[in-house]
Each structure stands twice: as C-alpha cells, then as structure tokens.
Amino acid sequence: MIPTEPIGSIPRPPELVAAIRGDAGMRELALLLDDAVRATVAAFEATGSSVISDGEQGKLENFWSYPVHGAANTAPDGFRIPLRSGAGGATHRMPRLTHGPFRYQRYADQYLRAARLHATQPVKQAIISPSALSLLYPPDGLPGYSREQFLDDLVREHETEIRRCLEAGAHKVQVDFAEGPLAMRLDPSGALLASFVHLNNMALERFSGAERALIGLHVSASGVDATGAIDYAELLPALFEIRAGSFYIAMAGQPEPERVLRIARDYARPDQRIFVGVTDPADPRIESAEQVRDRVLLAARYLDPRRLGTTDDAGFAPFFDDDSVSRATAFAKVRARVEGTRLAAAVLERAA
C-alpha cells in the first residue's frame, strides 16, 4: 500500500470566517471553531483518507506566525512575505521581535488534541519551521539579546513543539519549510538557503533516528511568489540535506514533473520517504482518480514504490480566507488523491 497524507490547510466554513473577521466574542468563536474542526475531520474521513488533519482551522492568523500571534514583545511591522501571484499581489507581514526572550505563545499540539477528540483515523500535525520564524529577528539586532541567544531559544521552542505533538499522538509532524523558495529569491547565491537548512538541522539533531522517521518536511512551489526567479526543482538538492524522515514535494503543478522526480531520485537519502504531490490546489479543476493514478505510476518509474507516498502539492488555504478554492473542491481533490493512490497501488502490486 502506498501511504497518502494531506499537507495542511482546508478553507474554513463561511460562518467561522465571518466570526474571525467580525467582532465575535471568545465564547462564540470557540464554539464555531470546535464545529469547524469536527466538520473538517468528518469530511476528511468521508474521503476514505487513512491519515487526516484538522485543516489548520485553529490557526486564526496563518500557518507561518501562529506560534507568536499576540506576543507582547512583537510589533506588526516585520518582514514582508511576498505571496504567490494567485493572491492578487498581496503580501503578508510577519511580526517583528522587539526584545527578548523569544517564546512561543502556543504550541501546535493544542490543534492536534482538539482534532483527535473527533477523529477515528490517525492525525498528522503541521508546524512552522524554525528558519521561517528566524525572520522575526530584526536585521539590526536587539540590545541585550543577541541573534545567537534568539536562535538558541528558537530551536528549543521548536523542539518543544515537536515533542509535544509526538507525545499527543501525532501520526506525523510536518515541518513547513515555506521560506525555501523565498531564500532563493532573496539570495540566488544559495547562502541564505544553506543557513536555513543548517538551522533546521540544528533542531532535528536533537531527535533520535526513530523520532526523525516521524518528522516530515514540506516545501511548496507556490507558497510565495517566486515567478520568473525560482526554479522549484533547484530547491530539492538542498531540501534533501535536511535530516527529516519524510519529504512532501510538489509535482502535479510542475511544468516538468519528470525533472522533479529525477532530482528526487538522485538526491534523496535511502532512509527518506518521498510523498509526491498528485493534486494541484492552485488549479480549480478537480483531478480524476485515473489522472492521480497515472501521476503515481509516473513517480514509481523514478522512485522505489516502497519509499513512495502521495500528497497534495500544497495546502488549500494557507494565508487567506477567500473563496478561490471552496471546501467542496478541496475535499473532492483529496478524495481523488485517495482513490487514485489506491488504483496505482493495485497496478504496482499486480506488476510486482
């Protein structure tokens, strides 16, 4: 059987979006959020998924800076993140750290625990990478709080979040490396990307091999707008230097999917499982199960099926609550992924 897993975000129900944008009280918001998690878990399980998520319903700001949302030692005028072109040219602005020490305001195990209350299937949990959060620290530094102190605190908090998720029963902890394409855009020499890889490995080195097998890494080709500047496939050699056990890579929306697969084949280590994207959240057309099947079979020509998994190219609603992708479309694509993966697995089993 070829495992299949989601990436993360699912569009929230309209009533929850309205409450977030409006002046709903905390009690009303909490009730709507619980309803959204319950409904998302049920919809995931109705697709036949053997691994589900909460669709990131509870990350009320976004998937990138949720750990520090509302922190007293942050200001709203931090680093500008250019978003994919489909977001209408918008940018998201990170918070800026104003003084130390750096501490998370929340850990993602709270979302995992809420989802597991309603789930009958294993639940994975997506978290943000330490390298993404490193952009909170201002370029000019902070008096009395060095960058080295900040990075020590950041890595410790990231480790704590992963351990809390594993202790809460996560099937997998997926680290979102959304800043990978951004690093290549800002610094084509690759030095910034290399520093991000090193920082993530500083955290992963704190885990045993068995624990790292439960930790995955995802980098989307479309999380930030790198149009005309970034070749997604060029990211992959550096990506596989990160000491995670699973990798989630975009393939469905790539102009040259076989090039992506060749690089994954050549650079992935033998102990790494590769989950290839077989649905494209940026494409409003819903893939058929047969289309997914053919993408899986293509991947199996380059990657050992025993190390192969399937996923979506990216999350369906990482930054904005808009209606460009509906919940119905997102779950239809998930169902196609699940059914197409089963079809491909049957073909590969007969050929074995």
Side-chain angles (χ1 to χ4, degrees), residues 4-11 36-57 115 118-125 174 279 310-312 314-317 327-339 342:
T4 187
E5 298 179 8
I7 288 298
S9 57
I10 294 289
V37 172
R38 186 193 307 270
T40 301
V41 166
F44 254 123
E45 295 193 342
T47 66
S49 297
S50 57
V51 176
I52 66 169
S53 80
D54 73 338
E56 299 190 337
Q57 303 297 286
H118 308 297
T120 63
Q121 297 295 329
V123 182
K124 72 180 292 187
Q125 181 59 53
Q174 174 192 293
T279 62
T310 67
T311 188
D312 311 301
F316 290 93
R327 281 173 68 87
T329 295
F331 284 118
K333 284 176 171 279
V334 170
R335 183 182 295 277
R337 168 168 55 79
V338 171
E339 294 178 353
R342 287 176 179 161

Side-chain angles (χ1 to χ4, degrees), residues 35-294:
D35 287 344
V37 172
R38 186 193 307 270
T40 301
V41 166
F44 254 123
E45 295 193 342
T47 66
S49 297
S50 57
V51 176
I52 66 169
S53 80
D54 73 338
E56 299 190 337
Q57 303 297 286
K59 294 178 181 176
L60 300 184
E61 185 177 69
N62 59 67
F63 81 102
W64 192 303
S65 53
Y66 70 88
V68 296
H69 181 53
N73 60 340
T74 61
D77 58 346
F79 182 82
R80 287 187 183 275
I81 304 168
L83 302 184
R84 63 184 184 270
S85 55
T91 61
H92 170 72
R93 195 148 198 169
M94 289 188 69
R96 171 177 57 85
L97 195 67
T98 58
H99 59 86
F102 173 81
R103 296 289 185 270
Y104 279 20
Q105 301 300 295
R106 63 194 53 78
Y107 300 99
D109 65 296
Q110 75 178 62
Y111 311 123
L112 173 66
R113 294 177 191 277
R116 293 194 73 208
L117 290 175
H118 308 297
T120 63
Q121 297 295 329
V123 182
K124 72 180 292 187
Q125 181 59 53
I127 65 172
I128 193 61
S129 68
S131 48
L133 291 177
S134 71
L135 296 170
L136 284 123
Y137 192 84
D140 296 334
L142 291 172
Y145 191 57
S146 69
R147 183 171 180 81
E148 289 71 23
Q149 290 174 299
F150 164 71
L151 292 179
D152 284 345
D153 288 340
L154 171 58
V155 169
R156 184 186 62 251
E157 289 288 77
H158 180 70
E159 177 192 6
T160 298
E161 182 170 49
I162 291 178
R163 293 198 183 281
R164 287 176 63 132
C165 289
L166 293 176
E167 290 167 2
H171 169 78
K172 191 83 63 68
V173 178
Q174 174 192 293
V175 179
D176 287 324
F177 188 49
E179 68 285 9
L182 180 61
M184 290 187 66
R185 178 181 178 181
L186 296 175
D187 178 13
S189 75
L192 180 59
L193 178 61
S195 72
F196 283 170
V197 169
H198 175 68
L199 180 56
N200 287 309
N201 277 336
M202 284 175 58
L204 289 170
E205 287 169 359
R206 300 186 175 204
F207 295 91
S208 68
E211 290 168 332
R212 286 197 297 270
L214 300 176
I215 302 171
L217 190 106
H218 169 247
V219 58
S220 170
S222 59
V224 295
D225 185 6
T227 303
I230 300 304
D231 182 344
Y232 173 72
E234 291 182 358
L235 274 171
L236 299 184
L239 178 72
F240 289 119
E241 293 178 11
I242 298 176
R243 305 292 295 181
S246 294
F247 288 80
Y248 304 83
I249 63 174
M251 184 186 74
Q254 288 297 292
E256 298 180 89
E258 292 189 65
R259 180 164 173 257
V260 171
L261 292 167
R262 283 194 297 269
I263 293 174
R265 177 197 62 196
D266 294 343
Y267 285 91
R269 295 191 307 272
D271 61 339
Q272 295 172 337
R273 181 179 288 276
I274 313 303
F275 288 78
V276 297
V278 292
T279 62
D280 181 6
D283 187 345
R285 295 171 296 182
I286 298 169
E287 294 83 356
S288 68
E290 291 74 19
Q291 186 177 8
V292 169
R293 175 200 62 198
D294 293 344

Side-chain angles (χ1 to χ4, degrees), residues 296-317:
V296 180
L297 295 178
L298 174 65
R301 289 169 47 190
Y302 293 88
L303 302 170
D304 185 341
R306 293 171 296 181
R307 296 173 53 207
L308 182 61
T310 67
T311 188
D312 311 301
D313 271 6
F316 290 93

